[in-house]
C-alpha cells in the first residue's frame, strides 16, 4: 500500500475549511451538500454546464486547488447561481439558494472576516 503522507494544511486551506463549515450550517436541508443528479433534477446536466456543491468545494480545498479566497467565493456563487437558474423562482431550491447566497456574501465580506468572535485576518 502507498502511505499518503499527511501534508500540513496551508493557512488558506484552514481558512477555507472554517468558512465552508460556516456556509454549510446555512444549508440545513443539505440541498447543496452533494452534486445534483439528473435523476432528482430532470435535464440538469444539459442546463447546468458547471455544476458545483459543498462536497466538491471540500475536495478542492483538500487538494489545494484554491489559491485565492476569491477562487473559493467564485465556486460558492456558482453553486448558488446554478440553483437560482435551474429552479423556478418559487421553488424551495431557488428560495434556499437566494437565502444561502445572501448569508454567504454577508459572511465573506472583508469587514466581517476581520471582526466577530473569530477574527480571521
Ligand atoms: C429533496 O432532497 C434533496 C436531496 C438532495 C438534493 O441535491 C443534492 C436535492 C436537490 C438540490 C437541488 C438544487 C440545489 O438545485 N435540487 C433541484 C431539484 C430537485 N432536487 C434538488 C434535494
Amino acid at each position: 500500500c502507498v502511505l499518503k503522507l499527511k501534508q500540513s494544511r496551508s493557512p488558506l486551506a484552514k481558512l477555507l475549511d472554517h468558512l465552508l463549515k460556516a456556509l454549510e450550517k446555512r444549508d440545513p436541508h443539505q440541498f447543496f451538500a452533494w452534486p445534483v443528479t439528473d435523476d432528482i433534477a430532470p435535464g440538469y446536466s444539459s442546463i447546468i454546464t458547471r455544476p458545483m456543491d459543498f462536497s466538491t468545494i471540500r475536495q478542492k480545498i483538500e487538494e489545494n486547488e484554491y489559491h485565492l479566497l476569491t477562487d473559493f467565493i467564485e465556486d460558492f456563487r456558482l453553486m448558488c447561481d446554478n440553483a437560482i437558474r435551474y429552479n423556478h423562482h418559487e421553488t424551495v431550491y431557488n428560495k434556499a439558494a437566494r437565502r444561502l447566497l445572501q448569508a454567504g456574501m454577508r459572511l465573506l465580506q472583508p469587514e466581517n472576516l476581520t471582526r466577530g468572535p473569530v477574527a480571521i485576518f
Side-chain angles (χ1 to χ4, degrees):
C1 70
V2 175
L3 286 177
K4 188 174 177 200
L5 292 177
K6 184 110 175 109
Q7 294 160 337
S8 61
R9 306 274 303 261
S10 72
L12 179 62
K14 286 178 186 155
L15 163 64
L16 298 184
D17 193 61
H18 171 81
L19 294 173
L20 177 60
K21 286 188 173 90
L23 293 170
E24 287 174 321
K25 286 196 180 92
R26 311 306 295 260
D27 175 31
H29 300 290
Q30 298 202 308
F31 293 150
F32 301 91
W34 308 104
V36 180
T37 62
D38 285 343
D39 292 339
I40 61 173
Y44 192 85
S45 60
S46 311
I47 297 164
I48 299 300
T49 54
R50 294 177 62 219
M52 189 49 62
D53 68 282
F54 281 136
S55 73
T56 303
I57 291 175
R58 178 171 301 288
Q59 188 177 355
K60 289 179 74 171
I61 294 171
E62 284 161 10
E63 290 170 10
N64 291 315
E65 290 188 38
Y66 294 118
H67 301 128
L68 297 169
L69 176 57
T70 47
D71 299 336
F72 170 87
I73 295 172
E74 268 172 35
D75 271 354
F76 171 72
R77 288 195 68 100
L78 169 64
M79 181 183 76
C80 297
D81 289 346
N82 285 343
I84 292 166
R85 287 195 299 114
Y86 174 83
N87 301 283
H88 292 301
H89 196 71
E90 69 287 349
T91 59
V92 286
Y93 308 116
N94 186 302
K95 288 176 184 171
R98 282 182 277 134
R99 282 168 60 95
L100 180 59
L101 183 59
Q102 283 295 321
M105 288 302 111
R106 273 198 302 273
L107 175 81
L108 296 166
Q109 272 173 359
E111 60 270 25
N112 291 338
L113 292 174
T114 57
R115 275 206 330 244
V118 181
I120 288 165
F121 293 113

